[in-house]
Amino acid sequence: MPLVPPPAPAVADGLAAVPDRTGLRVPPRAWPVRLSPIAFGGDYTPEQWPDAVRREDVALMREAGVTAVTVGVFAWAMLEPAEGRYTFGWLDTVLDRLAEAGIAVDLATPTAAPPPWFSTTYPETLPVARDGSTLGIGARESFCPSSSRYRDAATGIARRLAERYRDHPALAMWHVNNEYGAHVAGCHCPESERSFREWLRTRHGDLDALNEAWGTAFWSQRYQDWAEITVPRVAPMPVNPAQQLDFHRFTDDEFRACFRAERDAIRELTPDIPITTNFMATACPRMDYWRWADEVDVVANNHYLVAEDPEGHVELAMSADVARSLNDGSPWVLMEHSTSAVNWQPRNLAKAPGQLRRNSLTHVARGADAAMFFQWRASRAGAEKFHSAMLPHGGTRTRVWHEVTALGSDLSALREIAGSRVTAEVGMLWDWESWWALELEYRPSIDVTYLDAVRRFYAALWRRNETVDFVRPGADPSKFRLLVVPSLYLTTPTTAAVLRTYVEGGGRLLVSFFSGIVDEHDAVHPGGFPGPLREVLGLWIDEFHPLPAAAAVHLDPAPAADTRSRLRLRATVWSEEVVCEGAEVIWRFADGPDCGLPALTRHPLGAGAAWYLATRPDGEGVDRVLDLVLADAGITGGRTPEGVEAVRRASPLGSYLFLVNHGPVDTTVPGGGVDLLTGERWADGVRVPAGGVTVVREDRTADGDTHR
Ligand code: GAL
């Protein structure tokens, strides 16, 4: 990202340009107006508390500057204590008080937690694990996504809520269910099995096509009758990978059908209120959120730091960038994060002073127009009592409470940034289907995982302040100067064709190893590797040579290559025998099974070039790869002192530079403008205190340059 602010975008680039979807009153990606300008609050579970506490809640929310809360997420048993008997009175009072206090409500349907009476009356709605055991009650999310009984009941309670609160002044947005697919990887009950067969009929048409797609001639798996097909079960050996992949797709579709059923019931009654559900962008490998993004009015995301990960803030940035990309670049809702420790990791480290502010404002920097938490008040009882909250057990004298109220003030000071957008020059392909397929059993190496592949490039780009937009496979990437494609194991001919057109049109493409291997049925592309990417990359691969655990290989610049690097670099996990067919060799393996053979190549094609990386370099190696590839793409970027993250949001109103200092030293970054958080004016360099955040409305002249 250049440190010089860009010229002001034309108004047409702003939110107004979002296309309308015929038939819908809420255009997709339209910001829920009642959450404007920047929503601040969290999950509110008043059903846990006596009325005196609920009254205090509203008073303290006002004190903290809370503007919005999510109510009712797991309240089914408190709203319908027995079948057909509703107790909405307490919720009426809660919503009335919130409305009176000017606090908007993201009203949740409680369907992620069917009550015990429901599960015991209808035990067939409980999910069944792969080993055939029925998952019990006493937790939450105990439902089979294919159960028609569950779907009817869920749609029923959603409709009741919409009927009752359709005109409530506090109602700002609907929040359907909670983190679909987070805890149930798929249901293996008889009803799911029947639905799976139906789903397969629709997908494959007839049994011959299914047998062909699944390669059932191998291992005597040929099906003669639909009734023979099962959901994947515990079996003596890995179940057919194409069958498993279809089961992933089916499960994803079934959860989405649950969402749609509730959404449509609600939409009928409140066509003007946006509807969403909360995603876990980088943390739920089971849902294809590209498809989910097509269904929601605005993307809402949850993010929890892995507390022991020293680079957790980089993963946080990645999650935020995925969320923004799912929402087509428009402002998205950070629905949940934590004020301090969570309760479900092996060691639940508390956030250090200042970390809450850095975390929340990083999400905002990356396009969130909301900073919401799980949860408002810490629970005294139940499974999550050791989870942090906005209002901790110790109340208003705690450090966390002070940091929370300070964040409320920060967000209020930042209100003019609402609606502004983040721009990126680098795109990165992100594909859930390929992730599912890559991590099935019997791959060349268990050390190759999708998130690792993506994170290595993302982290290197983060270190250089290159903001990344994630790109859906098959989508047109031509607005990016560089497109990174980390280990795209499953590559369809359509995706490959888009990549080729992109390069021919002048784009720079960087593809990493184990890409282009299989088609949508997990069958190896005819002719070997990298299948449909062979032409664009100008090479083929004779054999994979995965490395033993803890083994390393080294890489040297190829003698003839034009490279700035004279370092010997180290790589692990993977090596392979690359045969060039037009690509030039930039680096070679200096040792290991492919000693002397290409490790990094560049293939000029049309007006662009495609790079290929045949191994997994250490962090420094990825940095050096990016030196070359970014230079080739003409991206110069703006470096900040180490550990200082820089992201820009811009709108016709202004250009806003967010600087987040993750390091222990006060620092100054070139530039100038008005500090929105302190009101200070920076004329010759913007100061970012150690562990702090600075947001400046940048000075700019008509041509987009700084004031200097
Ligand atoms: C989320 C969930 C919340 C809460 C939180 C704890 O996944 O949506 O309800 O359980 O985790 O970190």
Side-chain angles (χ1 to χ4, degrees), residues 201 204-213 216 222-229:
R201 271 180 202 268
H204 296 282
D206 57 40
L207 270 182
D208 283 346
L210 177 139
N211 279 308
E212 178 64 28
T216 56
R222 194 170 172 83
Y223 294 102
Q224 309 292 350
D225 193 313
W226 289 100
E228 295 164 5
I229 301 176

Side-chain angles (χ1 to χ4, degrees), residues 455-687:
R455 263 189 80 165
R456 302 183 72 68
F457 290 109
Y458 184 87
L461 289 160
W462 184 94
R463 287 193 283 275
R464 326 167 69 103
N465 291 313
E466 275 315 327
T467 309
V468 172
D469 274 349
F470 286 88
V471 179
R472 188 175 187 159
D476 175 14
S478 55
K479 71 173 181 178
F480 301 106
R481 294 212 214 179
L482 169 64
L483 182 69
V484 181
V485 179
S487 299
L488 191 68
Y489 166 72
L490 187 161
T491 307
T492 63
T494 315
T495 300
V498 169
L499 298 182
R500 189 187 169 133
T501 308
Y502 168 70
V503 174
E504 285 171 342
R508 296 297 185 277
L509 177 70
L510 169 62
V511 176
S512 70
F513 69 93
F514 210 41
S515 292
I517 310 300
V518 297
D519 66 12
E520 58 174 313
H521 305 301
D522 198 51
V524 170
H525 286 292
F529 318 125
L533 298 176
R534 179 171 169 174
E535 285 181 8
V536 68
L537 296 174
L539 51 81
W540 65 283
I541 291 140
D542 192 320
E543 193 177 40
F544 303 142
H545 297 139
L547 302 174
V553 289
H554 295 88
L555 318 171
D556 277 342
D562 167 23
T563 170
R564 286 184 277 160
S565 171
R566 287 287 169 261
L567 292 171
R568 170 161 280 210
L569 297 161
R570 184 176 177 276
T572 55
V573 174
W574 195 265
S575 170
E576 60 187 13
E577 191 173 337
V578 174
V579 183
C580 288
E581 288 179 324
E584 10 162 357
V585 185
I586 307 297
W587 292 348
R588 290 185 193 285
F589 287 103
D591 50 21
D594 297 296
C595 182
L597 297 180
L600 176 69
T601 61
R602 180 181 183 276
H603 183 223
L605 182 69
W611 294 72
Y612 181 70
L613 181 60
T615 185
R616 177 184 178 276
D618 289 351
E620 193 198 349
V622 182
D623 287 340
R624 298 293 78 80
V625 174
L626 286 173
D627 284 344
L628 301 173
V629 177
L630 288 167
D632 193 27
I635 300 175
T636 44
R639 293 276 191 161
T640 49
E642 202 184 322
V644 177
E645 179 174 359
V647 190
R648 180 174 287 114
R649 291 183 63 158
S651 76
L653 293 182
S655 174
Y656 305 99
L657 183 62
F658 284 70
L659 297 162
V660 185
N661 187 350
H662 299 278
V665 182
D666 294 352
T667 186
T668 300
V669 172
V674 175
D675 189 330
L676 295 182
L677 296 175
T678 62
E680 202 149 344
R681 161 156 260 301
W682 300 110
D684 201 8
V686 179
R687 200 172 138 75

Side-chain angles (χ1 to χ4, degrees), residues 114 169 258 305 309 340 366 522 646 658:
C258 292
L305 275 186
D309 178 355
S340 188
R366 293 178 184 273
D522 198 51
F658 284 70

Side-chain angles (χ1 to χ4, degrees), residues 74 140 178-179 278 302 304 336 342 344 374 384 387:
F74 301 111
R140 66 182 200 202
N178 192 66
E179 293 181 339
N278 45 0
N302 295 352
Y304 290 94
E336 290 178 27
V342 299
W344 43 265
F374 175 83
E384 300 194 305
H387 197 291

Side-chain angles (χ1 to χ4, degrees), residues 43 73-74 140-141 175 178-179 182-183 278-280 302-304 335-338 341-345 374-375 384 387-388:
D43 278 20
V73 184
F74 301 111
R140 66 182 200 202
E141 302 196 13
H175 174 306
N178 192 66
E179 293 181 339
H183 304 294
N278 45 0
F279 298 172
M280 303 161 74
N302 295 352
H303 181 266
Y304 290 94
M335 187 62 89
E336 290 178 27
H337 65 320
S338 68
V342 299
N343 65 309
W344 43 265
Q345 293 174 11
F374 175 83
Q375 60 175 334
E384 300 194 305
H387 197 291
S388 59

